[in-house]
Amino acid sequence: MPLHINTPLLESLPLSAITRKHIWLKMDALQPSGSFKIRGVGLACEEYARQGKTRFVSSSGGNAGIAVAYAGRKLGLPVVVVVPESTSERACALIREQQATLVVQGATWAEANTHALSLLNDSDAFIHPFDDPLLWQGHASIIDEVAAEAMRPDAIVLSVGGGGLFAGVMEGLQRNGWADMPVITVETDGTASLARAVEQRDRVTLPTITGVATSLGAKQVCEQAFSLAMSHPVSPAVVTDRQAVQACRRFIDDHRVLIEPACGASLALVYEASHLLNDYENILVIVCGGVTASVEQVMSWTETH
Ligand SMILES: *Cc1c(COP(=O)(O)O)cnc(C)c1O
């Protein structure tokens, strides 16, 4: 039994009306850990447990760390999540709620990550947030589920941080015979590592990450995501923080589900009826979810952004 669930595939009437297209939502916000991450993290943790690993270590204070904590609890194995001091109270509480050991160490993520790596011994598995073939293999299940419902979209819209979701969706497209399906990747302007890399045809590292879409905050995409973006029909799009936050706000009313701005970025492209959608009729949006923003925070961002 996998640790993720088969999520609903919904036709969105509000978004279809705005775009005059058929917009389909793959509702991974409803995963038990609150984001798509449990697909890959769950598969990786199960595989590492089979290989004899007895503890999982993560340095993510976001949805990846929460997914590792969830997977460890379900598999009955201990989890250590090392996060920097800047991690929100809410994220810390969600990790502890999954019964993981939370270690707060360092001013930056790099310092927390160094500490996490120093804890590793031979029987531990380090679970990376986006750069591991096992993660991509697990994320690919999102496309298997769409194919199983006999729905073939004309294009897919998804958010990109480090590119693990993108790499996984590409693997899913390949294994379902949809390798040439166009993908529109979405980032916010403070996290646009894939858009910049494609523009410069070089896997650039951003000097800084800014804005509200913290779950998209990878300064550099993984090698796999970059090479896939260079060799497949991929259109990188960038939205503003304001558009991402407004999309979260509207999505609460339209579909009664709270998501992070990281996911709002993809929905913003649709709410804005981006010209990038023009050529397609049936469009699949990966509603990747995210649990680190509260309703109150989303409402206050809509006033300040
Ligand atoms: C991790 C995450 C992303 C980005 O995924 P990558 O695999 O890093 O590209 C997008 N949205 C949410 C909610 C996430 O948790």
Side-chain angles (χ1 to χ4, degrees), residues 35-37 63 130 159-165 215-216 260 262-263 288-290:
S35 79
F36 76 94
K37 287 233 169 53
N63 297 304
F130 55 81
S159 296
V160 171
L165 173 62
S215 294
L216 303 185
E260 286 179 21
C263 176
C288 49

